[in-house]
Amino acid sequence: MPAGKHMTDEIDQQPAIFADLLAAQHEIAEVAGVIARRKPRFALLAARGSSDHAALYAKYLIEVLLELPVGLVSPSTTTLYGARPDLTDVLLISVSQSGGSPDLLRVTESGRERGALTAAITNNTSSPLAEAAELSLGIRAGQEQAVAATKTYSATLLTLYLLVDAIRGGDGTRARALPELATAALSERGAVDEAVQRYRFADRMVTTGRGYSLATAQEAALKLAETSYLSARAYSGADLLHGPVAAVDEETAVLALNSNGRGGESIREVLDVVHARGADICAIGSGAAHSAAAHRIPLPDCAEEVSPVLEVLPVQQLALGLALARGFDPDSPRGLNKVTKTT
């Protein structure tokens, strides 16, 4: 089998998965209705790896669209230190593509015992995690063969968006065009192929974004590290200017997520500073044309709150292309597996 065959196929499956999720919105609405009726006063998100980046996206969604305070759980406070805070009237969402992470299972079980309304978002609806939570939703991505998460990550993003939107009484209107937009984004390979040739010999890369796009910046760094063994580090645009920018120079490649909206407008100011330091900037997103960048990968315009679902697609293609160009097989990254079992 050719190197990267599984990852290639799974990247290409994403538009159809988005359409399937949108068609199953009634199931998501039922879960959202339970949450809305319970009126949580606070939300907590528990996740590991790529799912943790999806949880960061959900954090922005819940804080902006529902105006609820949100925290990201540190599983070790439960698994190592045995902390048992009162979680009455708290919504605890556990995000795990496999549903097989022991520490997330313990966090979910413990949270439910302490009064939380627990919900599991997973690709395995018969997993221990899904069974442990009071509510569960499947991301409907099908089995993923490649070790690097692609379709399960984007499907998790869309599931989380549809859930939060339904909690606020929405019907997913702003996400309805995603299958068509994703097809268009994946078919425009020219700019991605050029980026592969441009960065195939890079030793280190910084990824950055603001607002909703910060989740994509985090995921981009992980994908580049695990498939191409690049030294990749993600920063929010604001954090990048407070110290790390001192390490940015002509030898630094910067991958910047820049979609239209408030986050994109803010990141452009950051890129002006980074550009002045001589960094080689690759801007990805619907607002890339307005960035100070040496290379741009444009995307179709969409509502800012769903832009991470599209932004990650060329990121995945870039990670795949760089891995192959550097002589690696992204389907089998050395030393990695699909289930995080840290306890």
Side-chain angles (χ1 to χ4, degrees):
M1 181 180 295
K5 178 66 164 58
H6 288 316
M7 189 172 177
T8 301
D9 290 346
E10 288 163 4
I11 289 173
D12 292 342
Q13 290 167 19
Q14 291 171 105
I17 293 168
F18 298 165
D20 188 37
L21 275 168
L22 288 162
Q25 193 171 345
H26 62 284
E27 297 177 12
I28 298 173
E30 290 179 4
V31 172
V34 175
I35 295 172
R37 288 190 294 273
R38 295 277 285 271
K39 297 181 179 180
R41 59 181 173 85
F42 192 90
L44 289 173
L45 296 154
R48 292 284 198 192
S50 286
S51 294
D52 197 38
H53 305 151
L56 178 60
Y57 170 60
K59 184 176 187 292
Y60 275 87
L61 289 173
I62 295 170
E63 289 183 343
V64 176
L65 303 185
L66 302 183
E67 297 186 331
L68 282 178
V70 184
L72 297 175
V73 170
S74 298
S76 61
T77 61
T78 296
T79 60
L80 296 183
Y81 297 102
R84 297 181 60 82
D86 182 0
L87 297 183
T88 304
D89 297 329
V90 171
L91 170 64
L92 172 62
I93 301 177
S94 300
V95 186
S96 171
Q97 293 151 13
S98 68
S101 173
D103 57 347
L104 294 185
L105 177 60
R106 288 179 63 186
V107 166
T108 302
E109 291 173 336
S110 178
R112 190 170 182 179
E113 291 170 359
R114 288 176 279 141
L117 171 59
T118 54
I121 309 296
T122 176
N123 197 36
N124 184 355
T125 54
S126 61
S127 65
L129 181 65
E131 294 175 356
E134 183 174 343
L135 305 170
S136 68
L137 283 173
I139 65 172
R140 308 173 74 91
Q143 185 175 6
E144 195 168 53
Q145 299 288 338
V147 171
T150 54
K151 64 179 183 176
T152 54
Y153 177 74
S154 61
T156 300
L157 295 185
L158 182 52
T159 301
L160 287 165
Y161 172 74
L162 293 174
L163 175 62
V164 173
D165 184 55
I167 293 171
R168 67 168 172 171
D171 60 0
T173 298
R174 292 189 171 186
R176 286 179 185 168
L178 284 176
E180 293 77 17
L181 296 178
T183 298
L186 289 171
S187 64
E188 296 294 332
R189 289 296 305 268
V192 173
D193 291 340
E194 290 175 16
V196 169
Q197 296 308 311
R198 188 180 190 95
Y199 302 113
R200 63 182 298 182
F201 299 113
D203 292 322
R204 60 191 178 99
M205 185 173 285
V206 169
T207 66
T208 187
R210 290 210 71 184
Y212 294 111
S213 296
L214 178 56
T216 313
Q218 297 278 6
E219 178 66 7
L222 176 61
K223 282 292 161 288
L224 293 168
E226 70 181 353
T227 60
S228 299
Y229 314 123
L230 266 170
S231 176
R233 184 74 181 268
Y235 297 98
S236 79
D239 290 339
L240 182 58
L241 295 185
H242 288 86
V245 72
V248 173
D249 56 23
E250 294 86 352
E251 301 299 318
T252 308
V254 176
L255 189 67
L257 284 306
N258 186 190
S259 291
N260 290 325
R262 296 183 183 182
E265 292 169 3
S266 179
I267 200 67
R268 288 171 205 154
E269 301 171 8
V270 176
L271 297 184
D272 288 340
V273 176
V274 173
H275 178 71
R277 296 188 63 84
D280 190 319
I281 301 171
C282 176
I284 296 178
S286 55
H290 308 295
S291 301
H295 187 70
R296 298 175 178 86
I297 302 176
L299 286 172
D301 197 16
C302 65
E304 183 182 10
E305 63 201 44
V306 297
S307 60
V309 182
L310 288 183
E311 289 171 346
V312 77
L313 304 181
V315 166
Q316 294 168 350
Q317 290 178 320
L318 179 60
L320 169 64
L322 284 173
L324 295 175
R326 292 157 73 95
F328 305 124
D329 183 358
D331 285 345
S332 302
R334 54 181 180 242
L336 298 180
N337 58 58
K338 293 194 72 66
V339 181
T340 303
K341 293 187 177 181
T342 302
T343 58

